[in-house]
Amino acid sequence: MSDEFSPPTSEWYYPANGVVENAHVKDYKAIYKESMDDLEAFWAKRAETLDWYEPWDTVLDDSNAPFFKWFSGGKTNVTLNALDRHVKTWRRNKIAMIWEGEPGDKVSLSYWRLWQEVNKFGNVLRSMGVKKGDTVTIYMGRIPELAIAMLACAKIGAVHSVVYGGFSDQALADRIEDAQSRVLVTADGAWLRGNIVHLKDVVDEAVHRSPVVETIIVVRRTGHDIRMEQGRDYWYHDLMNLPIASPICETEVMDAEDPLFILYTSGTTGKPKGVLHTQGGYQVYISTTLEWVFDIKDEDRWWCAADPGWITGHSYIVYAPLILGATGFMYEGAPNFPYPNRWWKMIEEYGITILYTAPTAIRGLMRFGDAWPKRHNLSSLRLLGTVGEPINPEAWRWYHTVIGKEQCPIMDTWWQTETGGFMITPVPSFGLKPGSATRPFPGIDADIVDEDGNTVPPGEDGFLVIKRPWPGMLRTVYGDPERYKEQYWSKYQKQGWYLAGDSARFDDDNYIWVIGRIDDVLKVSGYRLGTAEVESGLVSHPAVAESAVIGIPDEVKGNVIYAYCILVAGAEPSEDLKDELKNHVRHEVGPIAVPAKIEFVETLPKTRSGKIMRRVLKARAQGLPEGDLSTLER
Ligand code: WT7
């Protein structure tokens, strides 16, 4: 796929009539210039669109860089803006969230109702002893209670750590342990492709491994029999019916820099990083980016098809749409269940106006052919979006033509768990080129540089860096500030730039093309995985002495995992062992980490210093030239 990243720059797509005239951002160039001329004034103006209990003293405090502070001295709470302020206006009657379960059950919650549910659950959490600053781990499928639990934590000043419902018990246990969560919110199960995902079983196993958890609150979703441990496990609906669950819950007044959530993501080591985001700047950043990039209006029905367990869901399913008073849609299950028209059917039925999803989902649905979307009236759509990995031009064109009927600009948004919100992205008025995330958002000082920090000329690869801080940035790696400094700020320490970890290039029009990760991070179906996580999963099996994994391009998933294993003396290579290892990885890391192919080898290509040369394995696996082997140990 990587060869497709430099298509003819003449392939331009211009917005259809009406898109630009009505958009929030009409003159990107002027706004961008304004933001760069006075960064603090620009963000202060954006922050003024939100409610604060007390105003800030300093917009940006860089006195302890790279531990930047935004809106220091300001007092707020994300739920003040996402809920409390709306119930005082006409929006109390507006639908905040429309939800459809995979079996077809439907829920819609007005702002008033959502506010009440959040208040009730906030009181429940408080009654369980959860206090400001405590961490709560949340492990659920895509159901409204997930958003309610997140918002309730935020409201009472607790720090949520949402763990994606596809993670294994070991991965969940590691994250519980790292965050030291005494309270965990989960569900009995989740629906996926007509089957039950047994979430509570995974939780039981994880809590067995990580006994810090004292209380488990369980939402009844699938209704199958599960084990409930007396004195530890409580049904959500029971608690929500207690008198303690009053619909009035005081919102905790938070400092702008108080933590809002931890979200674990993969890095270059086996240990996942707890990316920490805070209350004040994050709100400002995600609401501005969503409003300007997806041009959110009151009439819209916004569908971000990600999972709330990832940053995309945190920022753009839960928090930003609510801050903007928008109507959001959420769907529980698989895109092709019971038929490959499920998404298109729901777009038609709910009149979705904006769809935001990932290249892997687009490619997956494209495979089923045009007949499925063509059966449905998709004319409510006015904008489309994509995120997670570079989109190949073929999928872009399909999305544009078959789904958007050439009327909907596609917002290809480049960003990261760490950045909190969109960073390199068009706004609807842009001319687009399939595969390019285009230009930096206002306030984002992005560049592509070489080893020495010089801007690379068009057409040449370099490191994507952000030269000045932005309000949505991560503040640290939870419990590991050194890792934060080392990972993001050490390469260009002298200059004080943020290293994104991606390589990219400019084209002749100054558009940015993101190529991929420079580190040992893989993107499988848009999910981020460290090679080290998969490798340590494999090595934890008694038969495996050493392993190396690589990503190999795949038409649908973007990448699939190939694993090379050296077995311990006495272990017999066999097909059964391969299956056993795949199962082992599923259990240790999660289904997304399961290698598509396992190969047993005698040696691995390494540098003299012992670092595995994944580049060589990759070339071999694809039958390509192995390149410069001068550092290879022979
Ligand atoms: C990595 C971050 C941000 C939410 C989802 C992913 C890749 C993300 C794009 C895009 C090319 C992209 C990068 C980035 N990536 N969006 N539009 N074009 N690459 O968040 O799991 O933190 O992963 O995803 O490699 O560094 P994440």
Side-chain angles (χ1 to χ4, degrees):
M1 226 166 55
S2 58
D3 290 334
E4 287 184 90
F5 293 143
S6 27
T9 46
S10 56
E11 191 180 352
W12 281 98
Y13 288 78
Y14 294 101
N17 285 340
V19 172
V20 185
E21 294 74 22
N22 298 316
H24 277 107
V25 175
K26 293 188 188 65
D27 189 350
Y28 163 83
K29 279 198 176 124
I31 296 178
Y32 188 79
K33 183 170 183 309
E34 181 196 318
S35 74
M36 288 298 111
D37 288 349
D38 192 340
L39 194 71
E40 293 190 44
F42 172 77
W43 287 118
K45 211 161 116 189
R46 296 310 307 158
E48 279 160 16
T49 65
L50 299 179
D51 282 5
W52 297 76
Y53 295 114
E54 277 176 45
W56 55 89
D57 311 314
T58 328
V59 178
L60 170 62
D61 173 358
D62 56 7
S63 58
N64 187 26
F67 299 94
F68 297 98
K69 289 183 179 159
W70 284 90
F71 307 108
S72 272
K75 303 270 188 213
T76 184
N77 186 304
V78 69
T79 63
L80 166 69
N81 284 298
L83 296 169
D84 297 354
R85 64 168 177 168
H86 298 316
V87 296
K88 295 183 193 142
T89 70
W90 64 271
R91 277 209 175 84
R92 70 210 296 272
N93 292 325
K94 185 175 172 176
I95 301 179
M97 183 183 290
I98 306 172
W99 174 82
E100 188 168 303
E102 197 186 73
D105 43 340
K106 298 169 191 215
V107 169
S108 40
L109 299 171
S110 65
Y111 272 89
W112 177 261
R113 174 81 193 283
L114 181 62
W115 175 72
Q116 288 215 325
E117 295 298 310
V118 169
N119 286 344
K120 288 170 69 175
F121 197 57
N123 285 323
V124 165
L125 289 172
R126 275 195 178 130
S127 76
M128 292 284 177
V130 178
K131 287 188 290 296
K132 178 173 173 175
D134 289 351
T135 62
V136 173
T137 296
I138 303 176
Y139 181 75
M140 290 196 218
R142 277 190 293 267
I143 53 176
E145 288 82 355
L146 173 51
I148 292 168
M150 291 165 70
L151 290 158
C153 286
K155 184 151 220 202
I156 66 166
V159 181
H160 58 71
S161 164
V162 180
V163 178
Y164 170 62
F167 274 121
S168 69
D169 47 79
Q170 186 58 53
L172 176 59
D174 291 345
R175 287 157 179 76
I176 292 171
E177 193 72 32
D178 191 80
Q180 288 290 304
S181 290
R182 288 185 302 105
V183 174
L184 192 149
V185 189
T186 187
D188 51 356
W191 289 110
L192 191 65
R193 271 176 225 97
N195 299 314
I196 291 175
V197 181
H198 293 258
L199 295 173
K200 180 60 166 51
D201 290 356
V202 179
V203 165
D204 286 344
E205 193 51 43
V207 171
H208 180 70
R209 293 183 188 213
S210 174
V212 277
V213 172
E214 292 163 11
T215 304
I216 302 177
I217 301 173
V218 187
V219 176
R220 180 173 279 155
R221 167 61 190 138
T222 43
H224 69 291
D225 266 346
I226 56 163
R227 201 176 68 88
M228 293 290 280
E229 191 177 302
Q230 267 267 315
R232 187 196 68 180
D233 301 352
Y234 301 87
W235 285 109
Y236 177 90
H237 59 264
D238 285 344
L239 298 172
M240 291 290 268
N241 281 324
L242 294 175
I244 186 80
S246 141
I248 300 293
C249 172
E250 204 182 314
T251 305
E252 197 76 39
V253 175
M254 304 295 283
D255 283 336
E257 281 297 322
D258 277 337
L260 173 62
F261 64 84
I262 308 167
L263 186 55
Y264 288 90
T265 188
S266 298
T268 43
T269 72
K271 192 178 180 300
K273 292 180 281 202
V275 167
L276 185 95
H277 284 284
T278 53
Q279 285 266 1
Y282 177 74
Q283 296 182 49
V284 176
Y285 194 68
I286 61 170
S287 56
T288 302
T289 47
L290 181 63
E291 182 174 35
W292 288 4
V293 173
F294 284 103
D295 196 37
I296 300 285
K297 305 264 169 53
D298 263 320
E299 302 80 354
D300 276 313
R301 288 192 161 188
W302 156 252
W303 183 12
C304 167
D307 192 283
W310 306 111
I311 190 69
T312 314
H314 280 56
S315 299
Y316 299 116
I317 296 178
V318 180
Y319 291 117
L322 295 176
I323 294 171
L324 297 177
T327 296
F329 175 69
M330 175 154 86
Y331 165 60
E332 178 184 36
N336 56 345
F337 187 85
Y339 304 107
N341 68 334
R342 183 66 184 264
W343 273 23
W344 320 127
K345 185 168 170 265
M346 292 188 301
I347 288 173
E348 177 173 26
E349 183 174 335
Y350 294 102
I352 303 295
T353 58
I354 312 169
L355 173 65
Y356 181 45
T357 184
T360 181
I362 299 164
R363 290 191 297 261
L365 289 163
M366 183 170 114
R367 245 178 4 145
F368 294 112
D370 299 2
W372 292 105
K374 283 195 171 144
R375 199 170 272 152
H376 296 278
N377 180 353
L378 305 180
S379 62
S380 57
L381 288 172
R382 65 181 194 91
L383 278 172
L384 298 171
T386 152
V387 60
E389 57 183 323
I391 181 163
N392 48 312
E394 193 197 348
W396 195 100
R397 285 184 216 107
W398 184 80
Y399 198 29
H400 189 253
T401 325
V402 180
I403 306 307
K405 316 290 179 212
E406 294 173 8
Q407 299 300 306
C408 308
I410 298 175
M411 303 296 104
D412 180 347
T413 61
W414 176 91
W415 58 296
Q416 308 176 296
T417 305
E418 292 87 343
T419 69
F422 315 145
M423 298 289 282
I424 315 271
T425 172
V427 293
S429 56
F430 271 39
L432 302 172
K433 303 185 196 191
S436 170
T438 74
R439 300 287 304 145
F441 190 79
I444 299 305
D445 192 358
D447 201 358
I448 306 171
V449 299
D450 63 17
E451 285 288 341
D452 303 322
N454 304 309
T455 302
V456 295
E460 259 174 49
D461 289 8
F463 302 105
L464 183 56
V465 294
I466 312 296
K467 294 184 163 176
R468 283 190 272 174
W470 65 102
M473 66 195 299
L474 82 163
R475 298 306 196 266
T476 190
V477 172
Y478 188 70
D480 200 350
E482 277 311 309
R483 192 167 175 196
Y484 167 73
K485 282 207 306 216
E486 169 59 32
Q487 186 80 49
Y488 306 105
W489 304 95
S490 63
K491 189 170 176 77
Y492 297 105
Q493 190 181 7
K494 207 172 64 218
Q495 298 92 333
W497 299 341
Y498 170 86
L499 179 77
D502 280 2
S503 63
R505 60 175 89 111
F506 289 114
D507 67 15
D508 292 330
D509 300 306
N510 235 0
Y511 271 31
I512 293 171
W513 297 73
V514 175
I515 297 158
R517 300 290 306 184
I518 54 169
D519 50 17
D520 295 329
V521 169
L522 302 173
K523 279 274 168 168
V524 178
S525 298
Y527 297 133
R528 181 163 156 185
L529 269 174
T531 51
E533 280 170 281
V534 187
E535 286 160 5
S536 60
L538 283 162
V539 174
S540 71
H541 189 281
V544 180
E546 203 179 343
S547 98
V549 315
I550 53 169
I552 292 293
D554 177 85
E555 241 177 61
V556 175
K557 296 183 171 172
N559 285 285
V560 289
I561 298 171
Y562 277 25
Y564 297 85
C565 298
I566 302 178
L567 296 180
V568 297
E572 279 302 313
S574 69
E575 288 306 309
D576 282 351
L577 182 57
K578 286 183 186 173
D579 291 341
E580 193 180 316
L581 291 177
K582 286 182 187 176
N583 261 328
H584 184 71
V585 172
R586 187 186 313 272
H587 195 254
E588 290 298 305
V589 195
I592 42 177
V594 174
K597 188 173 153 192
I598 296 181
E599 204 173 301
F600 298 124
V601 291
E602 297 293 326
T603 56
L604 289 167
K606 286 187 188 163
T607 62
R608 271 176 283 264
S609 60
K611 199 173 173 344
I612 293 168
M613 294 177 81
R614 293 195 178 75
R615 165 173 74 75
V616 173
L617 287 172
K618 255 181 133 139
R620 283 183 194 162
Q622 298 176 90
L624 300 169
E626 292 182 14
D628 178 13
L629 296 179
S630 54
T631 57
L632 185 71
E633 187 203 40
R634 302 267 176 190

